[in-house]
Amino acid sequence: MDVGVLGSGAIVPLALASMEAVPGIRVKALWCREHSRQRGEALAREYGISQVFTDLESLFREGGVDTVYIALVNPVHYAYARAALLAGKNVILEKPFCPSFAQAQDLAELARRQGLFLLEAMPLWHGALFRKVRELVPRLGPIRVVQCNYSQYSSRYDRYLQKEVLPAFDPAAFGGALYDLDVYNIAFAAGLFGRPEKVAYAPNRGWNGVDTSGVLFLQYPGFQAVLTAAKDSNSPSFLQIQGEKGWLKVEGKPIHPHRMVWKFVQGPDRDQFSTGAGKKEESVQSWTPPERKNRMVEEFGDYARIVNGKKKAEAEAYLQMTLTASEVLERAAHSFPGVCVNKFSVELSSQYSYAAKCRVKSTVDENPMIRCDGVGVTRQGSPSRTPRGQKNRPAVKVIAGLLFSICNVSEQVRMGTSAKKKQFQYNDVKLHCPHLS
């Protein structure tokens, strides 16, 4: 597997060290933005990467790669993954996979049509511990309760409290507890139990509307799952499943599990009022996963085995898990009321970038409404100029991006416009853009 890495952020050194430890992977190239070239070149020197690109199409054309690993900020996952698939490259995409379920579905359909591999970088699914959990779950009997907690006081939270908004706490960058931490709990539940019947999210909101912590409720046939995530406080993290014939608990954070304990039981528990014989039970058993120097080695080992061995059926199984988790994530984001004001920008090509200031209002009982207070297009070297003959096209693309990425509209876009009122209608979503040219 000849890999091109897109990005130079905090996760990239860990990923590069992991790929270095997998015999079936050769990292041929690294792409980064022009302003990050110095950091990209430093990473290339450290990990023996021969080529550094700042033009994406050049990497696709000249990098000698068959697979790209995308470790960019959340809002651009879809655009870059789609570009890579269209260029004929397999894609390994960091979590959260896409901001919307529609985007995830589109990437999946494109990968299938192209005959390419599309995999989510979700380490939880690729470790020995998850395989052990899958082995034991059927022995727990009918499942009744699932509890997951991933809580860690963010290293950026103090700065957030001082009104400094980094991507981890920026709603426009899909920051917050749901997209950053609860996504792992969702992956655990979706990977084991599939699609829930009902989804509801109850967040604690910070001063800019972002969810600094929250509790996600999933209803499955016969049992409930409660998934907690927090970036504003700390507690022991765990994953726990309770059934009528036993329970199991994974101790530690989903990305750093250090032990699993379980117990099989039969019959009623003996309480303080019981005078008769209690249940028959086995003693608590435990299992410790193999020690890992780098938590990403197992997953990249799987990716290399799947791509190099052309394991299409296995890749499709993982993709189905990704799509289920993506749908749950979107339903969770839709399930609570709130108003947030964002700045949103996305690169739609190597030549143009588009930006908008918008106010997004979405409640449980009301249709979503977006008010765009300004839309602009920037061409490289020529700020605020709109390409000739495309006066409204950039604005429309921005609106589509806002809909899919912020409001998470999952249905096929159906647009109607009113030139005088500058209003747009996408299914049930209304937009008012008074400043469109």
Side-chain angles (χ1 to χ4, degrees), residues 58-329:
S58 295
L59 179 141
F60 293 153
R61 188 174 56 251
E62 304 165 13
V65 305
D66 56 53
T67 303
V68 295
Y69 164 65
I70 301 175
L72 299 168
V73 293
N74 297 345
V76 303
H77 280 191
Y78 169 73
Y80 281 80
R82 195 169 196 280
L85 291 169
L86 288 172
K89 310 302 178 185
N90 302 307
V91 170
I92 301 166
L93 184 57
E94 264 298 335
K95 68 85 190 170
F97 191 71
C98 285
S100 83
F101 183 45
Q103 293 174 339
Q105 288 179 307
D106 183 61
L107 292 183
E109 290 167 4
L110 178 59
R112 290 166 184 145
R113 287 198 306 270
Q114 298 280 86
L116 296 167
F117 291 102
L118 175 63
L119 298 159
E120 181 179 11
M122 177 52 70
L124 179 67
W125 291 336
H126 298 277
L129 187 138
F130 189 71
R131 292 191 291 271
K132 186 71 173 177
V133 170
R134 273 186 156 175
E135 174 190 324
L136 292 176
V137 163
R139 298 182 62 186
L140 301 180
I143 304 302
R144 294 304 180 208
V145 177
V146 176
Q147 300 173 74
C148 303
N149 186 337
Y150 187 2
S151 297
Q152 59 182 24
Y153 191 97
S154 172
S155 60
R156 301 168 180 85
Y157 187 59
D158 289 340
R159 295 163 71 181
Y160 170 75
L161 293 176
Q162 299 301 315
K163 302 297 192 277
E164 181 182 355
V165 181
L166 298 170
F169 287 96
D170 186 353
F174 301 95
L178 178 65
Y179 281 96
D180 193 25
L181 299 182
D182 231 357
V183 65
Y184 289 99
N185 295 331
I186 291 170
F188 181 75
L192 289 172
F193 306 113
R195 185 179 186 272
E197 294 177 330
K198 295 183 180 179
V199 177
Y201 184 52
N204 294 316
R205 288 183 172 276
W207 59 266
N208 67 338
V210 76
D211 57 321
T212 59
S213 56
V215 180
L216 176 61
F217 301 92
L218 307 181
Q219 180 176 308
Y220 285 92
F223 70 94
Q224 308 291 331
V226 182
L227 316 182
T228 301
K231 296 169 69 69
D232 55 11
S233 55
N234 207 355
S235 75
S237 297
F238 62 89
L239 307 165
Q240 183 167 290
I241 305 172
Q242 297 170 219
E244 292 184 358
K245 295 184 178 180
W247 57 266
L248 67 81
K249 183 176 184 179
V250 177
E251 299 173 346
K253 298 172 182 176
I255 59 172
H256 293 298
H258 53 78
R259 189 173 74 128
M260 182 170 72
V261 294
W262 69 92
K263 190 174 187 179
F264 301 116
V265 300
Q266 289 181 324
D269 196 359
R270 175 186 292 179
D271 59 30
Q272 66 268 38
F273 303 109
S274 175
T275 58
K279 64 190 175 193
K280 297 178 181 179
E281 61 181 50
E282 299 180 9
S283 59
V284 174
Q285 301 178 65
S286 65
W287 179 81
T288 301
E291 186 176 350
R292 306 174 297 174
K293 292 183 178 179
N294 185 321
R295 64 179 173 85
M296 298 180 78
V297 171
E298 285 177 299
E299 61 177 302
F300 276 105
D302 266 0
Y303 305 148
R305 180 179 54 78
I306 289 170
V307 174
N308 292 336
K310 302 188 184 305
K311 308 287 186 179
K312 292 284 187 179
E314 187 173 353
E316 181 63 28
Y318 280 119
L319 184 55
Q320 287 298 327
M321 290 161 65
T322 288
L323 291 173
T324 300
S326 180
E327 183 186 8
V328 172
L329 189 62

